[in-house]
Amino acid sequence: MIEVNLHPHGAKARRRATLRLPSFGGGFGGGRGRRSGGRDPWITAAIGVPLVAFLVVGAMWYSQRAEARGLEDQVQEALGDSARLADLRQLSDSLSQRDRVIQERVGHVADLDGDRFVWPHLLDEVSRALPDYTWITTIESLSPLPGLSVRIRGMAANPVAITAFIRNLSESLYVGDVQLAGSQQVQMERFTVQSFELSVAYAEPPDSVVRMVPIVQR
């Protein structure tokens, strides 16, 4: 293939006609950088700063995400603990309510149990204190528990029997404040007897005096 140069000045003129793009770094020492063979610092900074910023932002995002996951786990754990504590508190309130009800019932039973032996003790002591030729006609309550007092009416063969009855009652641990309200002679069929009226109070003996004895002896 034959090539013919038709330009009047030849290859030298073609070289002069070649266009060159202006250098943007010429005003900032770009010429010196090209001559010295180094890299432009502004270009390096333009590339490095965004890269460093990207790495820093990425590290911060990762650390914040990890912290957020940790806080979320703590929140979930706290919610679970709160639910368990709420259940335990509800159970505790229910047990406390049941304990109060049981204590009230036990108190009622204790009151009933504590009073049911009062009259048997009192009547047993009155019966035990009766001397010969003396009998009881009526026993009635004058005041209720805890300050129980009763009126006892009866008959005796003579005044000596009435005196013995008063002395025996005064020696009982369950009887106190024995008072003779009155005594007089009455005619019963062919016999003359002494009617009397006493007032006595129920006394609770001290614990050191009362002795518990088992029903079944071993």
Side-chain angles (χ1 to χ4, degrees):
M1 179 177 178
I2 301 173
E3 182 178 351
V4 179
N5 184 10
L6 299 179
H7 196 278
H9 299 287
K12 184 177 181 180
R14 188 169 62 250
R15 286 196 300 271
R16 286 197 302 269
T18 303
L19 297 177
R20 291 183 178 273
L21 294 176
S23 176
F24 295 98
F28 302 97
R32 289 192 301 272
R34 287 193 300 272
R35 286 193 300 269
S36 61
R39 181 175 297 177
D40 193 343
W42 293 101
I43 296 177
T44 302
I47 296 174
V49 170
L51 180 61
V52 172
F54 176 77
L55 293 176
V56 171
V57 171
M60 292 177 62
W61 175 82
Y62 181 79
S63 63
Q64 290 180 357
R65 184 177 180 184
E67 185 178 359
R69 284 199 299 267
L71 292 176
E72 185 177 356
D73 293 340
Q74 293 179 7
V75 168
Q76 294 298 327
E77 184 178 358
L79 291 176
D81 293 339
S82 177
R84 287 192 294 271
L85 289 176
D87 294 339
L88 290 176
R89 182 175 179 180
Q90 184 178 3
L91 179 60
S92 176
D93 294 340
S94 177
L95 292 177
S96 299
Q97 180 65 25
R98 291 180 59 186
D99 182 68
R100 285 193 295 270
V101 173
I102 291 174
Q103 292 298 329
E104 291 177 358
R105 294 180 179 178
V106 169
H108 294 326
V109 172
D111 292 339
L112 294 175
D113 187 69
D115 296 345
R116 67 176 179 169
F117 294 113
V118 171
W119 276 100
H121 281 155
L122 184 58
L123 294 178
D124 185 56
E125 294 300 313
V126 170
S127 174
R128 188 176 308 177
L130 278 175
D132 294 336
Y133 308 109
T134 306
W135 62 96
I136 303 298
T137 57
T138 60
I139 297 179
E140 58 182 356
S141 173
L142 295 177
S143 62
L145 287 170
L148 176 64
S149 63
V150 297
R151 178 187 292 117
I152 301 175
R153 291 190 178 97
M155 299 289 182
N158 50 58
V160 177
I162 299 175
T163 303
F165 184 41
I166 295 174
R167 183 179 63 251
N168 294 339
L169 286 176
S170 300
E171 293 175 353
S172 173
L173 296 176
Y174 294 92
V175 178
D177 193 20
V178 181
Q179 299 290 335
L180 178 62
S183 174
Q184 63 181 358
Q185 288 185 349
V186 295
Q187 189 69 30
M188 294 185 63
E189 298 181 357
R190 296 175 299 172
F191 301 98
T192 301
V193 296
Q194 294 285 331
S195 68
F196 63 89
E197 181 177 324
L198 303 177
S199 64
V200 300
Y202 175 77
E204 187 71 29
D207 296 336
S208 59
V209 176
V210 178
R211 184 170 60 91
M212 305 298 293
V213 179
I215 298 176
V216 179
Q217 300 291 338
R218 295 183 180 181

PDB file of all heavy atoms in Angstrom, residues 65-98:
ATOM      1  N   ARG A  65     -24.559  -0.545  65.575  1.00  0.00           N
ATOM      2  CA  ARG A  65     -25.485  -1.660  65.329  1.00  0.00           C
ATOM      3  C   ARG A  65     -25.290  -2.762  66.371  1.00  0.00           C
ATOM      4  O   ARG A  65     -26.265  -3.312  66.902  1.00  0.00           O
ATOM      5  CB  ARG A  65     -25.272  -2.209  63.933  1.00  0.00           C
ATOM      6  CG  ARG A  65     -26.259  -3.304  63.551  1.00  0.00           C
ATOM      7  CD  ARG A  65     -26.051  -3.768  62.136  1.00  0.00           C
ATOM      8  NE  ARG A  65     -26.995  -4.813  61.785  1.00  0.00           N
ATOM      9  CZ  ARG A  65     -26.995  -5.458  60.614  1.00  0.00           C
ATOM     10  NH1 ARG A  65     -26.089  -5.135  59.695  1.00  0.00           N
ATOM     11  NH2 ARG A  65     -27.887  -6.398  60.379  1.00  0.00           N
ATOM     12  N   ALA A  66     -24.013  -3.054  66.696  1.00  0.00           N
ATOM     13  CA  ALA A  66     -23.749  -4.061  67.719  1.00  0.00           C
ATOM     14  C   ALA A  66     -24.274  -3.599  69.077  1.00  0.00           C
ATOM     15  O   ALA A  66     -24.867  -4.369  69.840  1.00  0.00           O
ATOM     16  CB  ALA A  66     -22.247  -4.339  67.797  1.00  0.00           C
ATOM     17  N   GLU A  67     -24.079  -2.310  69.394  1.00  0.00           N
ATOM     18  CA  GLU A  67     -24.592  -1.778  70.651  1.00  0.00           C
ATOM     19  C   GLU A  67     -26.112  -1.813  70.688  1.00  0.00           C
ATOM     20  O   GLU A  67     -26.718  -2.116  71.729  1.00  0.00           O
ATOM     21  CB  GLU A  67     -24.089  -0.348  70.835  1.00  0.00           C
ATOM     22  CG  GLU A  67     -24.471   0.267  72.169  1.00  0.00           C
ATOM     23  CD  GLU A  67     -23.906   1.667  72.340  1.00  0.00           C
ATOM     24  OE1 GLU A  67     -23.210   2.137  71.420  1.00  0.00           O
ATOM     25  OE2 GLU A  67     -24.176   2.276  73.394  1.00  0.00           O
ATOM     26  N   ALA A  68     -26.749  -1.504  69.540  1.00  0.00           N
ATOM     27  CA  ALA A  68     -28.206  -1.551  69.478  1.00  0.00           C
ATOM     28  C   ALA A  68     -28.716  -2.975  69.700  1.00  0.00           C
ATOM     29  O   ALA A  68     -29.715  -3.189  70.397  1.00  0.00           O
ATOM     30  CB  ALA A  68     -28.692  -1.010  68.135  1.00  0.00           C
ATOM     31  N   ARG A  69     -28.026  -3.969  69.105  1.00  0.00           N
ATOM     32  CA  ARG A  69     -28.431  -5.360  69.334  1.00  0.00           C
ATOM     33  C   ARG A  69     -28.285  -5.735  70.804  1.00  0.00           C
ATOM     34  O   ARG A  69     -29.129  -6.419  71.368  1.00  0.00           O
ATOM     35  CB  ARG A  69     -27.599  -6.294  68.452  1.00  0.00           C
ATOM     36  CG  ARG A  69     -28.010  -6.302  66.985  1.00  0.00           C
ATOM     37  CD  ARG A  69     -27.492  -7.553  66.289  1.00  0.00           C
ATOM     38  NE  ARG A  69     -26.027  -7.605  66.336  1.00  0.00           N
ATOM     39  CZ  ARG A  69     -25.224  -7.142  65.391  1.00  0.00           C
ATOM     40  NH1 ARG A  69     -25.747  -6.567  64.318  1.00  0.00           N
ATOM     41  NH2 ARG A  69     -23.915  -7.234  65.507  1.00  0.00           N
ATOM     42  N   GLY A  70     -27.163  -5.280  71.443  1.00  0.00           N
ATOM     43  CA  GLY A  70     -26.988  -5.565  72.858  1.00  0.00           C
ATOM     44  C   GLY A  70     -28.073  -4.925  73.714  1.00  0.00           C
ATOM     45  O   GLY A  70     -28.601  -5.545  74.640  1.00  0.00           O
ATOM     46  N   LEU A  71     -28.425  -3.663  73.411  1.00  0.00           N
ATOM     47  CA  LEU A  71     -29.480  -2.990  74.157  1.00  0.00           C
ATOM     48  C   LEU A  71     -30.828  -3.662  73.946  1.00  0.00           C
ATOM     49  O   LEU A  71     -31.636  -3.778  74.876  1.00  0.00           O
ATOM     50  CB  LEU A  71     -29.553  -1.520  73.741  1.00  0.00           C
ATOM     51  CG  LEU A  71     -28.350  -0.652  74.156  1.00  0.00           C
ATOM     52  CD1 LEU A  71     -28.506   0.745  73.586  1.00  0.00           C
ATOM     53  CD2 LEU A  71     -28.214  -0.598  75.666  1.00  0.00           C
ATOM     54  N   GLU A  72     -31.074  -4.123  72.719  1.00  0.00           N
ATOM     55  CA  GLU A  72     -32.340  -4.808  72.445  1.00  0.00           C
ATOM     56  C   GLU A  72     -32.430  -6.116  73.223  1.00  0.00           C
ATOM     57  O   GLU A  72     -33.484  -6.450  73.773  1.00  0.00           O
ATOM     58  CB  GLU A  72     -32.459  -5.078  70.945  1.00  0.00           C
ATOM     59  CG  GLU A  72     -33.792  -5.691  70.539  1.00  0.00           C
ATOM     60  CD  GLU A  72     -33.910  -5.878  69.041  1.00  0.00           C
ATOM     61  OE1 GLU A  72     -32.989  -5.457  68.322  1.00  0.00           O
ATOM     62  OE2 GLU A  72     -34.935  -6.433  68.598  1.00  0.00           O
ATOM     63  N   ASP A  73     -31.295  -6.834  73.304  1.00  0.00           N
ATOM     64  CA  ASP A  73     -31.283  -8.066  74.106  1.00  0.00           C
ATOM     65  C   ASP A  73     -31.544  -7.759  75.579  1.00  0.00           C
ATOM     66  O   ASP A  73     -32.281  -8.486  76.262  1.00  0.00           O
ATOM     67  CB  ASP A  73     -29.941  -8.774  73.942  1.00  0.00           C
ATOM     68  CG  ASP A  73     -29.738  -9.302  72.523  1.00  0.00           C
ATOM     69  OD1 ASP A  73     -30.749  -9.468  71.802  1.00  0.00           O
ATOM     70  OD2 ASP A  73     -28.576  -9.521  72.143  1.00  0.00           O
ATOM     71  N   GLN A  74     -30.923  -6.670  76.075  1.00  0.00           N
ATOM     72  CA  GLN A  74     -31.157  -6.290  77.467  1.00  0.00           C
ATOM     73  C   GLN A  74     -32.609  -5.905  77.708  1.00  0.00           C
ATOM     74  O   GLN A  74     -33.190  -6.230  78.761  1.00  0.00           O
ATOM     75  CB  GLN A  74     -30.234  -5.126  77.842  1.00  0.00           C
ATOM     76  CG  GLN A  74     -28.754  -5.496  77.870  1.00  0.00           C
ATOM     77  CD  GLN A  74     -27.883  -4.314  78.230  1.00  0.00           C
ATOM     78  OE1 GLN A  74     -28.383  -3.250  78.575  1.00  0.00           O
ATOM     79  NE2 GLN A  74     -26.566  -4.492  78.138  1.00  0.00           N
ATOM     80  N   VAL A  75     -33.212  -5.197  76.738  1.00  0.00           N
ATOM     81  CA  VAL A  75     -34.620  -4.811  76.875  1.00  0.00           C
ATOM     82  C   VAL A  75     -35.514  -6.047  76.918  1.00  0.00           C
ATOM     83  O   VAL A  75     -36.428  -6.159  77.748  1.00  0.00           O
ATOM     84  CB  VAL A  75     -35.034  -3.869  75.733  1.00  0.00           C
ATOM     85  CG1 VAL A  75     -36.549  -3.689  75.700  1.00  0.00           C
ATOM     86  CG2 VAL A  75     -34.358  -2.515  75.880  1.00  0.00           C
ATOM     87  N   GLN A  76     -35.242  -7.010  76.032  1.00  0.00           N
ATOM     88  CA  GLN A  76     -36.035  -8.241  76.017  1.00  0.00           C
ATOM     89  C   GLN A  76     -35.868  -9.018  77.326  1.00  0.00           C
ATOM     90  O   GLN A  76     -36.830  -9.546  77.877  1.00  0.00           O
ATOM     91  CB  GLN A  76     -35.629  -9.113  74.825  1.00  0.00           C
ATOM     92  CG  GLN A  76     -35.953  -8.501  73.468  1.00  0.00           C
ATOM     93  CD  GLN A  76     -37.451  -8.282  73.283  1.00  0.00           C
ATOM     94  OE1 GLN A  76     -38.269  -9.042  73.784  1.00  0.00           O
ATOM     95  NE2 GLN A  76     -37.795  -7.235  72.541  1.00  0.00           N
ATOM     96  N   GLU A  77     -34.634  -9.059  77.835  1.00  0.00           N
ATOM     97  CA  GLU A  77     -34.397  -9.749  79.103  1.00  0.00           C
ATOM     98  C   GLU A  77     -35.106  -9.044  80.251  1.00  0.00           C
ATOM     99  O   GLU A  77     -35.692  -9.689  81.131  1.00  0.00           O
ATOM    100  CB  GLU A  77     -32.897  -9.814  79.370  1.00  0.00           C
ATOM    101  CG  GLU A  77     -32.525 -10.596  80.619  1.00  0.00           C
ATOM    102  CD  GLU A  77     -31.017 -10.676  80.820  1.00  0.00           C
ATOM    103  OE1 GLU A  77     -30.282 -10.148  79.971  1.00  0.00           O
ATOM    104  OE2 GLU A  77     -30.601 -11.269  81.825  1.00  0.00           O
ATOM    105  N   ALA A  78     -35.059  -7.693  80.224  1.00  0.00           N
ATOM    106  CA  ALA A  78     -35.744  -6.937  81.267  1.00  0.00           C
ATOM    107  C   ALA A  78     -37.249  -7.147  81.204  1.00  0.00           C
ATOM    108  O   ALA A  78     -37.916  -7.267  82.244  1.00  0.00           O
ATOM    109  CB  ALA A  78     -35.407  -5.445  81.143  1.00  0.00           C
ATOM    110  N   LEU A  79     -37.809  -7.215  79.996  1.00  0.00           N
ATOM    111  CA  LEU A  79     -39.242  -7.469  79.860  1.00  0.00           C
ATOM    112  C   LEU A  79     -39.609  -8.855  80.395  1.00  0.00           C
ATOM    113  O   LEU A  79     -40.633  -9.027  81.053  1.00  0.00           O
ATOM    114  CB  LEU A  79     -39.656  -7.333  78.388  1.00  0.00           C
ATOM    115  CG  LEU A  79     -39.623  -5.912  77.801  1.00  0.00           C
ATOM    116  CD1 LEU A  79     -39.952  -5.944  76.310  1.00  0.00           C
ATOM    117  CD2 LEU A  79     -40.602  -4.999  78.533  1.00  0.00           C
ATOM    118  N   GLY A  80     -38.743  -9.840  80.094  1.00  0.00           N
ATOM    119  CA  GLY A  80     -38.997 -11.176  80.627  1.00  0.00           C
ATOM    120  C   GLY A  80     -38.932 -11.212  82.141  1.00  0.00           C
ATOM    121  O   GLY A  80     -39.774 -11.825  82.800  1.00  0.00           O
ATOM    122  N   ASP A  81     -37.922 -10.526  82.713  1.00  0.00           N
ATOM    123  CA  ASP A  81     -37.823 -10.461  84.175  1.00  0.00           C
ATOM    124  C   ASP A  81     -39.026  -9.740  84.771  1.00  0.00           C
ATOM    125  O   ASP A  81     -39.531 -10.139  85.833  1.00  0.00           O
ATOM    126  CB  ASP A  81     -36.529  -9.742  84.574  1.00  0.00           C
ATOM    127  CG  ASP A  81     -35.284 -10.538  84.197  1.00  0.00           C
ATOM    128  OD1 ASP A  81     -35.414 -11.763  84.006  1.00  0.00           O
ATOM    129  OD2 ASP A  81     -34.207  -9.931  84.102  1.00  0.00           O
ATOM    130  N   SER A  82     -39.473  -8.676  84.111  1.00  0.00           N
ATOM    131  CA  SER A  82     -40.631  -7.945  84.615  1.00  0.00           C
ATOM    132  C   SER A  82     -41.877  -8.825  84.623  1.00  0.00           C
ATOM    133  O   SER A  82     -42.659  -8.806  85.572  1.00  0.00           O
ATOM    134  CB  SER A  82     -40.864  -6.696  83.765  1.00  0.00           C
ATOM    135  OG  SER A  82     -42.009  -5.995  84.182  1.00  0.00           O
ATOM    136  N   ALA A  83     -42.048  -9.616  83.553  1.00  0.00           N
ATOM    137  CA  ALA A  83     -43.208 -10.511  83.503  1.00  0.00           C
ATOM    138  C   ALA A  83     -43.136 -11.567  84.600  1.00  0.00           C
ATOM    139  O   ALA A  83     -44.129 -11.866  85.272  1.00  0.00           O
ATOM    140  CB  ALA A  83     -43.293 -11.176  82.132  1.00  0.00           C
ATOM    141  N   ARG A  84     -41.925 -12.121  84.818  1.00  0.00           N
ATOM    142  CA  ARG A  84     -41.784 -13.127  85.882  1.00  0.00           C
ATOM    143  C   ARG A  84     -42.019 -12.517  87.256  1.00  0.00           C
ATOM    144  O   ARG A  84     -42.666 -13.121  88.116  1.00  0.00           O
ATOM    145  CB  ARG A  84     -40.388 -13.756  85.808  1.00  0.00           C
ATOM    146  CG  ARG A  84     -40.189 -14.703  84.636  1.00  0.00           C
ATOM    147  CD  ARG A  84     -38.915 -15.504  84.787  1.00  0.00           C
ATOM    148  NE  ARG A  84     -37.741 -14.653  84.721  1.00  0.00           N
ATOM    149  CZ  ARG A  84     -37.102 -14.341  83.602  1.00  0.00           C
ATOM    150  NH1 ARG A  84     -37.540 -14.807  82.447  1.00  0.00           N
ATOM    151  NH2 ARG A  84     -36.030 -13.587  83.623  1.00  0.00           N
ATOM    152  N   LEU A  85     -41.501 -11.297  87.464  1.00  0.00           N
ATOM    153  CA  LEU A  85     -41.718 -10.638  88.745  1.00  0.00           C
ATOM    154  C   LEU A  85     -43.191 -10.317  88.972  1.00  0.00           C
ATOM    155  O   LEU A  85     -43.695 -10.399  90.096  1.00  0.00           O
ATOM    156  CB  LEU A  85     -40.878  -9.358  88.813  1.00  0.00           C
ATOM    157  CG  LEU A  85     -39.359  -9.556  88.936  1.00  0.00           C
ATOM    158  CD1 LEU A  85     -38.644  -8.216  88.887  1.00  0.00           C
ATOM    159  CD2 LEU A  85     -39.010 -10.293  90.227  1.00  0.00           C
ATOM    160  N   ALA A  86     -43.886  -9.947  87.880  1.00  0.00           N
ATOM    161  CA  ALA A  86     -45.316  -9.672  88.009  1.00  0.00           C
ATOM    162  C   ALA A  86     -46.076 -10.943  88.416  1.00  0.00           C
ATOM    163  O   ALA A  86     -46.962 -10.911  89.271  1.00  0.00           O
ATOM    164  CB  ALA A  86     -45.863  -9.117  86.701  1.00  0.00           C
ATOM    165  N   ASP A  87     -45.697 -12.074  87.796  1.00  0.00           N
ATOM    166  CA  ASP A  87     -46.340 -13.343  88.174  1.00  0.00           C
ATOM    167  C   ASP A  87     -46.034 -13.707  89.627  1.00  0.00           C
ATOM    168  O   ASP A  87     -46.920 -14.150  90.372  1.00  0.00           O
ATOM    169  CB  ASP A  87     -45.864 -14.458  87.243  1.00  0.00           C
ATOM    170  CG  ASP A  87     -46.328 -14.244  85.811  1.00  0.00           C
ATOM    171  OD1 ASP A  87     -47.315 -13.495  85.619  1.00  0.00           O
ATOM    172  OD2 ASP A  87     -45.704 -14.797  84.884  1.00  0.00           O
ATOM    173  N   LEU A  88     -44.759 -13.518  90.030  1.00  0.00           N
ATOM    174  CA  LEU A  88     -44.394 -13.828  91.415  1.00  0.00           C
ATOM    175  C   LEU A  88     -45.115 -12.914  92.399  1.00  0.00           C
ATOM    176  O   LEU A  88     -45.540 -13.356  93.477  1.00  0.00           O
ATOM    177  CB  LEU A  88     -42.880 -13.700  91.587  1.00  0.00           C
ATOM    178  CG  LEU A  88     -42.014 -14.768  90.887  1.00  0.00           C
ATOM    179  CD1 LEU A  88     -40.545 -14.446  91.065  1.00  0.00           C
ATOM    180  CD2 LEU A  88     -42.325 -16.151  91.429  1.00  0.00           C
ATOM    181  N   ARG A  89     -45.256 -11.636  92.032  1.00  0.00           N
ATOM    182  CA  ARG A  89     -45.959 -10.715  92.919  1.00  0.00           C
ATOM    183  C   ARG A  89     -47.429 -11.096  93.034  1.00  0.00           C
ATOM    184  O   ARG A  89     -48.006 -11.055  94.139  1.00  0.00           O
ATOM    185  CB  ARG A  89     -45.833  -9.292  92.385  1.00  0.00           C
ATOM    186  CG  ARG A  89     -46.500  -8.260  93.286  1.00  0.00           C
ATOM    187  CD  ARG A  89     -46.272  -6.861  92.801  1.00  0.00           C
ATOM    188  NE  ARG A  89     -46.927  -5.887  93.661  1.00  0.00           N
ATOM    189  CZ  ARG A  89     -46.893  -4.577  93.487  1.00  0.00           C
ATOM    190  NH1 ARG A  89     -46.207  -4.075  92.469  1.00  0.00           N
ATOM    191  NH2 ARG A  89     -47.510  -3.777  94.315  1.00  0.00           N
ATOM    192  N   GLN A  90     -48.041 -11.478  91.913  1.00  0.00           N
ATOM    193  CA  GLN A  90     -49.439 -11.901  91.962  1.00  0.00           C
ATOM    194  C   GLN A  90     -49.592 -13.150  92.824  1.00  0.00           C
ATOM    195  O   GLN A  90     -50.533 -13.256  93.628  1.00  0.00           O
ATOM    196  CB  GLN A  90     -49.941 -12.156  90.549  1.00  0.00           C
ATOM    197  CG  GLN A  90     -51.429 -12.514  90.483  1.00  0.00           C
ATOM    198  CD  GLN A  90     -51.899 -12.699  89.054  1.00  0.00           C
ATOM    199  OE1 GLN A  90     -51.102 -12.617  88.113  1.00  0.00           O
ATOM    200  NE2 GLN A  90     -53.173 -12.951  88.882  1.00  0.00           N
ATOM    201  N   LEU A  91     -48.642 -14.099  92.669  1.00  0.00           N
ATOM    202  CA  LEU A  91     -48.686 -15.301  93.494  1.00  0.00           C
ATOM    203  C   LEU A  91     -48.478 -14.968  94.964  1.00  0.00           C
ATOM    204  O   LEU A  91     -49.160 -15.519  95.847  1.00  0.00           O
ATOM    205  CB  LEU A  91     -47.613 -16.286  93.014  1.00  0.00           C
ATOM    206  CG  LEU A  91     -47.493 -17.603  93.794  1.00  0.00           C
ATOM    207  CD1 LEU A  91     -48.793 -18.386  93.730  1.00  0.00           C
ATOM    208  CD2 LEU A  91     -46.336 -18.432  93.260  1.00  0.00           C
ATOM    209  N   SER A  92     -47.536 -14.039  95.248  1.00  0.00           N
ATOM    210  CA  SER A  92     -47.296 -13.636  96.635  1.00  0.00           C
ATOM    211  C   SER A  92     -48.521 -12.962  97.239  1.00  0.00           C
ATOM    212  O   SER A  92     -48.881 -13.237  98.390  1.00  0.00           O
ATOM    213  CB  SER A  92     -46.086 -12.696  96.688  1.00  0.00           C
ATOM    214  OG  SER A  92     -45.878 -12.224  98.000  1.00  0.00           O
ATOM    215  N   ASP A  93     -49.181 -12.086  96.466  1.00  0.00           N
ATOM    216  CA  ASP A  93     -50.393 -11.441  96.968  1.00  0.00           C
ATOM    217  C   ASP A  93     -51.488 -12.463  97.244  1.00  0.00           C
ATOM    218  O   ASP A  93     -52.204 -12.371  98.251  1.00  0.00           O
ATOM    219  CB  ASP A  93     -50.892 -10.396  95.968  1.00  0.00           C
ATOM    220  CG  ASP A  93     -49.924  -9.225  95.827  1.00  0.00           C
ATOM    221  OD1 ASP A  93     -49.098  -9.035  96.735  1.00  0.00           O
ATOM    222  OD2 ASP A  93     -49.995  -8.514  94.803  1.00  0.00           O
ATOM    223  N   SER A  94     -51.597 -13.453  96.335  1.00  0.00           N
ATOM    224  CA  SER A  94     -52.609 -14.490  96.540  1.00  0.00           C
ATOM    225  C   SER A  94     -52.308 -15.311  97.792  1.00  0.00           C
ATOM    226  O   SER A  94     -53.207 -15.602  98.593  1.00  0.00           O
ATOM    227  CB  SER A  94     -52.663 -15.404  95.307  1.00  0.00           C
ATOM    228  OG  SER A  94     -53.574 -16.465  95.504  1.00  0.00           O
ATOM    229  N   LEU A  95     -51.021 -15.661  97.986  1.00  0.00           N
ATOM    230  CA  LEU A  95     -50.655 -16.432  99.182  1.00  0.00           C
ATOM    231  C   LEU A  95     -50.864 -15.604 100.449  1.00  0.00           C
ATOM    232  O   LEU A  95     -51.290 -16.141 101.481  1.00  0.00           O
ATOM    233  CB  LEU A  95     -49.195 -16.889  99.077  1.00  0.00           C
ATOM    234  CG  LEU A  95     -48.900 -17.937  97.993  1.00  0.00           C
ATOM    235  CD1 LEU A  95     -47.415 -18.237  97.940  1.00  0.00           C
ATOM    236  CD2 LEU A  95     -49.687 -19.219  98.243  1.00  0.00           C
ATOM    237  N   SER A  96     -50.546 -14.296 100.369  1.00  0.00           N
ATOM    238  CA  SER A  96     -50.761 -13.445 101.542  1.00  0.00           C
ATOM    239  C   SER A  96     -52.242 -13.350 101.888  1.00  0.00           C
ATOM    240  O   SER A  96     -52.623 -13.392 103.065  1.00  0.00           O
ATOM    241  CB  SER A  96     -50.192 -12.046 101.271  1.00  0.00           C
ATOM    242  OG  SER A  96     -48.803 -12.101 101.033  1.00  0.00           O
ATOM    243  N   GLN A  97     -53.090 -13.241 100.851  1.00  0.00           N
ATOM    244  CA  GLN A  97     -54.526 -13.189 101.097  1.00  0.00           C
ATOM    245  C   GLN A  97     -55.018 -14.490 101.718  1.00  0.00           C
ATOM    246  O   GLN A  97     -55.812 -14.474 102.681  1.00  0.00           O
ATOM    247  CB  GLN A  97     -55.260 -12.911  99.777  1.00  0.00           C
ATOM    248  CG  GLN A  97     -56.775 -12.828  99.905  1.00  0.00           C
ATOM    249  CD  GLN A  97     -57.213 -11.649 100.738  1.00  0.00           C
ATOM    250  OE1 GLN A  97     -56.509 -10.660 100.851  1.00  0.00           O
ATOM    251  NE2 GLN A  97     -58.397 -11.734 101.331  1.00  0.00           N
ATOM    252  N   ARG A  98     -54.538 -15.619 101.183  1.00  0.00           N
ATOM    253  CA  ARG A  98     -54.939 -16.910 101.748  1.00  0.00           C
ATOM    254  C   ARG A  98     -54.438 -17.051 103.185  1.00  0.00           C
ATOM    255  O   ARG A  98     -55.142 -17.594 104.047  1.00  0.00           O
ATOM    256  CB  ARG A  98     -54.383 -18.045 100.889  1.00  0.00           C
ATOM    257  CG  ARG A  98     -55.012 -18.159  99.522  1.00  0.00           C
ATOM    258  CD  ARG A  98     -54.429 -19.298  98.726  1.00  0.00           C
ATOM    259  NE  ARG A  98     -54.610 -20.570  99.398  1.00  0.00           N
ATOM    260  CZ  ARG A  98     -54.083 -21.712  98.968  1.00  0.00           C
ATOM    261  NH1 ARG A  98     -53.360 -21.721  97.858  1.00  0.00           N
ATOM    262  NH2 ARG A  98     -54.290 -22.822  99.626  1.00  0.00           N
TER     263      ARG A  98
END
